[in-house]
Amino acid sequence: MKKARVPVAILLSLVLLALPRGARAGDNGSLLVILGASSAAGAGAKPVSQSFASRYTAYLGEAQPSYRVVNLAVGGYNTYQMLPDGKTPSPRAHPDPEHNITKALSLHPNAILFCLSTNDVAGHFPPAEVEKNVLSIAEEAWRARVAFWIATPQPRNLDDRGRSDLAELAAWVKKQFGRTAVDFTTGLGAPDGKLLPQYDSGDGIHPNNAGHALLFQRLVESPITPR
């Protein structure tokens, strides 16, 4: 019998109720784990200290010295590689036990930032398939009562179908995850979905320093940041 999936809103509500009041990634002594692909790993930024993840780590560390960040992002990865241990192997890719949600949870974080990469769409995975994987990853965090934040996919210079799929995924993330979604799409891309030239590192995929600065600012302005 097919297992019924618990609605996203119900799982999210249970987790938020279970967390200590005000528990966010920046609470004293807390840990944030980042999952993602090349942009989250710092690609496009020169030096890598200018990447959004590095800048955000430094920003939070200055605000709270006990704050820690572990970045498990790996260039080229897709959502299959970030699925939990024990998932049925897929021809697409297998979960990486050193860089997936299971590894992230083994570090006992109080929050996870999942940066949805563009690699699934670039590999021609349909949005519905990507959405299923994202929910599987998020549900692992929710079951462990760990706050789960998700960044929308960044613009990328794909073909018309690819850019349409990225837009569909960005809209889905915002709708499904609400206030726990961070907008990494708006302002970085042109109306046609391509990466704006002023934010392009030169490959049509990764943001340059100015693009990383914009994404860093989105994180600072999001509810994940302690006030």
Side-chain angles (χ1 to χ4, degrees), residues 36-62:
S38 53
S39 291
K46 296 181 181 179
V48 71
S49 61
Q50 294 301 302
S51 69
F52 74 81
S54 293
R55 293 186 63 179
Y56 193 58
T57 298
Y59 174 84
L60 292 172
E62 289 177 5

Side-chain angles (χ1 to χ4, degrees), residues 5 32 77 86 97-98 109 120 148 160 168 194:
R5 186 182 293 277
L32 170 69
Y77 270 24
E98 293 302 315
D120 294 70
F148 184 85
D160 291 347
E168 180 179 333
K194 292 181 179 179

Side-chain angles (χ1 to χ4, degrees), residues 17-31:
L17 285 172
L19 289 171
R21 186 175 181 181
R24 289 181 289 187
D27 286 349
N28 287 334
S30 68
L31 171 67

Side-chain angles (χ1 to χ4, degrees), residues 126-128 131 153 161-174:
E131 292 165 9
R161 175 62 183 273
R163 298 197 308 277
S164 175
D165 285 350
L166 283 179
E168 180 179 333
L169 282 171
W172 175 81
V173 167
K174 292 176 183 177

